[in-house]
């Protein structure tokens, strides 16, 4: 696996850690939006945007939603925007499948917290990259993930392959992850790995920790397989193209 360097240890509480890296050419093959499309690229980690208590409240939203379904393999997703929910080897639309029962699962407060957290992460990313928060738009897919050590049953369960977000989803310009559980306390394995030439930079998840980065191939990454326990996180992604923007979920 090459040389491994820890970018963020679970035990440390980071106000702010940011590493600037040269941008890839991935952004050149898409329409550029001045003042938003990355010209400064890199990756950052902060424990100072979301509190652990807020992360626990958000994890409970994920737990309640995912308790309605769940993948037969080890990786389950819940997308509050589209309603996509892992169920067995497939996905269902949470809102159509459960209808009015959704009101018993989620509250207006849940969605207000989700929206507030999303806005704070958006502002933090804008600040780090020197762009205007108003020029960024939430984009899809934005989703909760729950990963355990159950073996994969379909390709959707194979979360550990190296990938580039902008190659997978052309709309992505900035990606963030909010971790909702603790590495070595709640689960083993499951670290986030930036794969650089000749070395790996790992982020150890910690509840409330936000990891964010430009979505091009300057940030090739993967997630290690989870060996035990359950890892919760939420992926929140942003685009500079208003045509690819989505609204916050509403109950």
């Amino acid at each position: 696996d090459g040389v491994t360097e820890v970018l963020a240890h679970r035990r440390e509480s980071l106000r702010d850690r940011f590493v600037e890296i040269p941008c890839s050419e991935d952004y050149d093959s898409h329409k550029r939006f001045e003042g938003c499309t990355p010209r400064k690229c890199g990756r950052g980690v902060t424990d100072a945007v979301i509190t652990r208590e807020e992360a626990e409240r958000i994890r409970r939203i994920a737990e309640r939603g995912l308790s309605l379904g769940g993948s037969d393999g080890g990786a389950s997703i819940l997308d509050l925007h589209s309603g996509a929910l892992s169920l067995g080897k497939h996905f269902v639309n949470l809102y159509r499948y459960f209808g009015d029962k959704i009101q018993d699962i989620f509250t207006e407060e849940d969605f207000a917290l989700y929206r507030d957290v999303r806005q704070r992460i958006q502002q933090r990313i804008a600040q780090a990259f020197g762009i205007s928060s108003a020029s960024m738009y939430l984009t899809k897919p934005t989703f909760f993930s729950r990963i355990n050590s159950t073996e994969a049953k379909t390709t959707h369960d194979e979360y550990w392959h190296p990938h580039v977000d902008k190659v997978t989803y052309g709309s992505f310009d900035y990606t963030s992850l909010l971790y909702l559980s603790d590495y070595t306390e709640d689960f083993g394995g499951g670290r986030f790995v930036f794969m650089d030439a000749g070395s790996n930079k790992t982020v150890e998840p910690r509840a409330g920790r936000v990891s964010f980065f430009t979505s091009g191939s300057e940030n090739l990454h993967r997630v290690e397989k989870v060996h035990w326990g359950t890892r919760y996180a939420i992926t929140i992604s942003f685009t500079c193209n208003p045509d690819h923007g989505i609204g916050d979920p509403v109950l």
Side-chain angles (χ1 to χ4, degrees):
D1 278 349
V3 181
T4 298
E5 184 185 316
V6 180
L7 184 62
H9 288 274
R10 180 187 71 82
R11 294 188 181 281
E12 57 188 337
S13 180
L14 294 171
R15 172 109 210 119
D16 225 358
R17 183 161 291 168
F18 185 79
V19 180
E20 189 171 348
I21 47 179
C23 292
S24 63
E25 293 174 0
D26 297 358
Y27 308 98
D28 298 339
S29 53
H30 295 264
K31 186 178 174 186
R32 290 195 79 90
F33 292 84
E34 279 314 313
C36 181
T37 299
R39 292 212 178 270
K40 170 184 177 181
C41 291
R43 53 188 74 146
V45 183
T46 177
D47 295 313
V49 176
I50 311 299
T51 67
R52 288 180 69 83
E53 188 264 338
E54 286 168 331
E56 279 172 26
R57 284 169 58 202
I58 290 187
R59 191 184 72 222
R60 288 198 287 273
I61 300 172
E63 287 170 342
R64 289 200 302 274
L66 285 160
S67 71
L68 300 171
S71 163
D72 287 344
S76 301
I77 71 145
L78 164 66
D79 182 334
L80 291 179
H81 299 264
S82 69
L85 172 71
S86 301
L87 188 67
K89 292 186 176 64
H90 307 281
F91 296 95
V92 294
N93 184 312
L94 178 78
Y95 302 120
R96 282 209 297 269
Y97 201 77
F98 294 99
D100 292 342
K101 289 198 194 121
I102 286 300
Q103 309 281 347
D104 304 329
I105 310 291
F106 304 120
T107 65
E108 290 291 357
E109 289 78 20
D110 291 337
F111 281 68
L113 175 64
Y114 182 96
R115 190 165 56 244
D116 179 41
V117 161
R118 187 273 301 165
Q119 286 166 345
R120 276 185 270 159
I121 292 171
Q122 183 167 343
Q123 284 159 357
R124 184 67 203 88
I125 294 173
Q127 193 185 347
F129 291 102
I131 60 174
S132 159
S133 170
S135 67
M136 300 163 65
Y137 302 88
L138 193 63
T139 193
K140 62 184 183 186
T142 281
F143 57 92
F144 289 105
S145 58
R146 181 186 71 192
I147 304 174
N148 60 32
S149 60
T150 310
E151 73 177 88
K153 299 291 193 290
T154 72
T155 52
H156 291 295
D157 300 320
E158 296 182 17
Y159 56 84
W160 53 82
H161 299 297
H163 65 278
V164 172
D165 289 351
K166 192 147 190 73
V167 172
T168 310
Y169 308 106
S171 62
F172 282 28
D173 290 305
Y174 299 93
T175 307
S176 73
L177 292 144
L178 166 58
Y179 295 109
L180 305 174
S181 47
D182 291 313
Y183 171 67
T184 69
E185 292 273 314
D186 299 311
F187 61 91
R191 293 181 303 172
F192 185 96
V193 185
F194 288 109
M195 303 174 71
D196 296 337
S199 74
N200 289 331
K201 309 285 193 305
T202 64
V203 175
E204 298 179 352
R206 167 190 164 102
R209 171 166 286 170
V210 177
S211 168
F212 58 90
F213 49 94
T214 44
S215 307
S217 49
E218 67 278 357
N219 281 312
L220 173 70
H221 60 273
R222 68 183 182 91
V223 173
E224 294 175 329
K225 287 187 182 182
V226 169
H227 303 307
W228 59 266
T230 307
R231 177 192 192 271
Y232 283 94
I234 176 168
T235 300
I236 302 177
S237 305
F238 299 96
T239 184
C240 295
N241 187 339
D243 294 344
H244 292 145
I246 58 172
D248 284 304
V250 288
L251 196 54

